[in-house]
């Protein structure tokens, strides 16, 4: 829609009337509910506009974390009463495409699916398309091997950080964040935050602003990511290495004893046969 102002209002109204029951409503931004003065357009409150636009829509998409869950506007103490749109549209299915911002190819994929099949893609319990939100950042992260090996950067710029090690201790929320960043990447597949050296903030998760400090690491890793605390992973790896070293030493010592005994036996046999001659 290239128009602006009254022309834009008119174009939207015409679309709603002409294509009632057939148009896709795509909403960006949260909706303030405490006082309509926080968002009023053309004399109508954001809540009224949303409800009226949703009325004849064939499908409704919340595009971004704001319209999905409220995002930063709804962070405590949420002075404007900002809400995601699903809360204001009871009884309607809202497809959530969260992210701050969301990935361009993901919203494109959702719209193409709607147009191609005439129905919503498979959604998870939070109404996110499973095809794009079925895995955690952690599941396909480029730094995952370092996490599993217990190798973590402890500070921005330290040796581990320069080596490209796991950013979990710098606050990475990848283990609890469902999004396709590590698969699709950004800027036409160039990179994503973790690959570029910044921990995942969990920007596609519900109320991520209220989940503790952005640079504070999770107290616990959910089962399935590895199933144990990363602080213990390093210990386990070191412990495992120590155990392996001990085992190796025991085996080596055992082999040395066996070799010495064999040598003694051979020397004995040699001396016996020399005496017999
Ligand atoms: Fe990647 Fe973060 Fe998981 Fe480390 S904790 S492997 S940086 S997603
Ligand atoms: Fe957001 Fe984390 Fe992706 S911060 S952009 S969900 S890597």
């Amino acid at each position: 829609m290239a128009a602006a102002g009254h022309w834009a209002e008119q174009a939207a109204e015409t679309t709603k009337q002409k294509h009632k029951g057939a148009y896709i409503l795509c909403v960006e931004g949260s909706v303030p509910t405490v006082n309509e003065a926080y968002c009023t357009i053309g004399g109508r409150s954001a809540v009224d506009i949303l409800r009226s636009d949703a009325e004849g829509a064939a499908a409704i998409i919340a595009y971004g974390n704001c319209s999905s869950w409220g995002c930063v506007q709804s962070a405590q103490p949420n002075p404007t009463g900002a809400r995601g749109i699903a809360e204001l549209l009871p009884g309607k299915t809202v497809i959530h495409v969260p992210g701050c911002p969301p990935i361009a190819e993901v919203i494109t994929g959702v719209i193409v699916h709607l147009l191609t099949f005439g129905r919503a893609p498979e959604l998870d319990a939070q109404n996110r398309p499973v095809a794009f939100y079925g895995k955690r950042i952690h599941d396909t992260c480029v730094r995952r091997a370092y996490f599993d090996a217990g190798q973590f950067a402890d500070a921005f710029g330290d040796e581990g950080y320069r080596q490209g090690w796991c950013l979990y201790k710098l606050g990475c929320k990848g283990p609890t964040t469902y999004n396709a960043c590590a698969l699709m990447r950004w800027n036409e597949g160039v990179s994503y935050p973790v690959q570029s050296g910044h921990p995942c903030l969990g920007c596609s998760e519900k109320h991520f602003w209220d989940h503790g400090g952005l640079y504070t690491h999770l107290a616990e890793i959910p089962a399935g990511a590895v199933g144990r605390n990363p602080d213990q992973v390093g210990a386990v790896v070191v412990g495992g290495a120590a155990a392996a070293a001990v085992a190796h030493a025991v085996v080596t010592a055992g082999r040395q004893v066996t070799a010495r005994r064999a040598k003694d036996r051979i020397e004995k046999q040699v001396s016996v046969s020399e005496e017999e001659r």
Side-chain angles (χ1 to χ4, degrees), residues 27-31 61-75 82-87 94-103 126 128 133 177-179 186 201-211:
V27 181
E28 268 195 284
S30 60
V31 181
I61 300 175
Y63 182 46
N65 200 310
C66 298
S67 56
S68 295
W69 326 119
C71 203
V72 66
Q73 296 79 217
S74 68
R83 305 250 180 278
I85 63 170
E87 284 189 60
V94 174
I95 302 170
H96 288 145
V97 183
C100 188
I103 301 172
Q126 295 187 22
R128 300 171 295 193
Y133 296 90
T177 301
Y178 289 80
N179 205 341
W186 295 78
L201 301 179
C203 82
S204 53
E205 289 299 309
K206 200 173 191 175
H207 305 316
F208 75 98
W209 289 99
D210 292 326
H211 290 171

Side-chain angles (χ1 to χ4, degrees), residues 137-138 141 143-144 147 166-168 172 174-175 194:
I137 303 298
H138 186 68
C141 182
R143 297 176 190 252
R144 177 60 189 263
F147 177 93
C166 173
L167 303 175
Y168 171 83
C172 186
V194 175

Side-chain angles (χ1 to χ4, degrees), residues 22-91:
Y23 62 86
I24 296 171
L25 175 65
C26 207
V27 181
E28 268 195 284
S30 60
V31 181
T33 57
V34 165
N35 188 324
E36 63 184 39
Y38 288 128
C39 187
T40 294
I41 302 167
R44 296 168 64 209
S45 74
V47 176
D48 285 348
I49 295 171
L50 171 68
R51 288 187 174 144
S52 138
D53 289 356
E55 196 52 45
I60 305 168
I61 300 175
Y63 182 46
N65 200 310
C66 298
S67 56
S68 295
W69 326 119
C71 203
V72 66
Q73 296 79 217
S74 68
Q76 293 299 331
N78 192 1
T80 65
R83 305 250 180 278
I85 63 170
E87 284 189 60
L88 303 166
L89 300 171

